[in-house]
Amino acid sequence: MPTYDYHCHANGRVVEVRHRMSEQVGTWGELCALAGIALDGTAADAPVERRPGGAGVVRNEHLGSGVAPACGSPGPACSGACGYRA
């Protein structure tokens, strides 16, 4: 399953989760449930938005951490979303 980065404007956090391409995540509560993390004081109905270029494959230890993993080996398919600059 692909992973996606979601940003919550209410708390400024970015969270990575895995879900089917057909699924939609629209709120902080839905995102927390998928990531297995606590709401941490943010309203469950706070909107989240998927970040462009955030789909990919990550290791389990990064899921829900709020920290984007580093590109292992940037190449022609690299979107630059990880911050890598040639």
Side-chain angles (χ1 to χ4, degrees), residues 14-82:
V14 175
V15 177
E16 284 184 327
V17 292
R18 290 183 187 193
H19 63 74
R20 293 183 180 130
M21 292 174 67
S22 60
E23 288 182 277
Q24 299 291 322
V25 177
T27 66
W28 179 247
E30 293 170 342
L31 185 59
C32 287
L34 276 174
I37 60 175
L39 294 173
D40 287 334
T42 302
D45 63 350
V48 295
E49 66 181 2
R50 192 164 75 187
R51 294 182 127 189
V57 177
V58 297
R59 296 189 316 246
N60 284 340
E61 66 264 21
H62 292 297
L63 292 175
S65 69
V67 176
C71 270
S73 55
C78 181
S79 68
C82 66

